[in-house]
Amino acid sequence: MGEVRVARLDELPAGQLTRVDVNDVRVVLARVGDTVYACGDTCAHQGGPLSQGRLSGTRLACPWHGWMYDVRTGQCLMPARNARVPSYPVRVDAGEVWITVGG
Ligand code: FES
């Protein structure tokens, strides 16, 4: 699928989550300071929409049952839960945010 432009950096409020769809892939963008991270939007537990969760630093809490993820890696932070959501490379160039979904 390659690299896709998904937003302007100034459209993404710092400390907040934004849902974007890249073709049929649901992605949550998390802006932490001036850095943007991109992960799959579907929680590994029961499919909750992570973009409706709560971001605290680089930790994202699912709105349904509170599983926590590190938005830098997609890794689930719950003890004894070796789960993760996909993490996508992000590039910001001239104020435009690009992500790479798929190969
Ligand atoms: S669906 Fe996300 S914690 Fe249960």
Side-chain angles (χ1 to χ4, degrees):
M1 197 178 298
E3 192 175 51
V4 177
R5 179 201 170 279
V6 290
R8 289 192 50 80
L9 183 62
D10 60 14
E11 295 171 341
L12 305 177
Q16 293 193 29
L17 301 164
T18 303
R19 155 97 179 266
V20 295
D21 290 0
V22 179
N23 295 331
D24 57 354
V25 180
R26 299 188 331 193
V27 176
V28 55
L29 302 176
R31 179 170 173 180
V32 180
D34 282 336
T35 303
V36 179
Y37 301 99
C39 295
D41 185 54
T42 303
C43 181
H45 180 215
Q46 292 181 0
L50 296 179
S51 54
Q52 294 176 29
R54 187 167 33 84
L55 184 65
S56 176
T58 55
R59 291 181 167 217
L60 167 56
C62 178
W64 284 5
H65 315 101
W67 279 27
M68 303 279 296
Y69 295 88
D70 186 330
V71 294
R72 297 171 296 185
T73 62
Q75 181 67 47
C76 182
L77 300 172
M78 306 303 284
R81 303 283 185 192
N82 189 21
R84 61 186 308 123
V85 293
S87 173
Y88 304 110
V90 177
R91 182 173 66 87
V92 179
D93 182 33
E96 307 280 350
V97 179
W98 298 76
I99 68 173
T100 301
V101 175

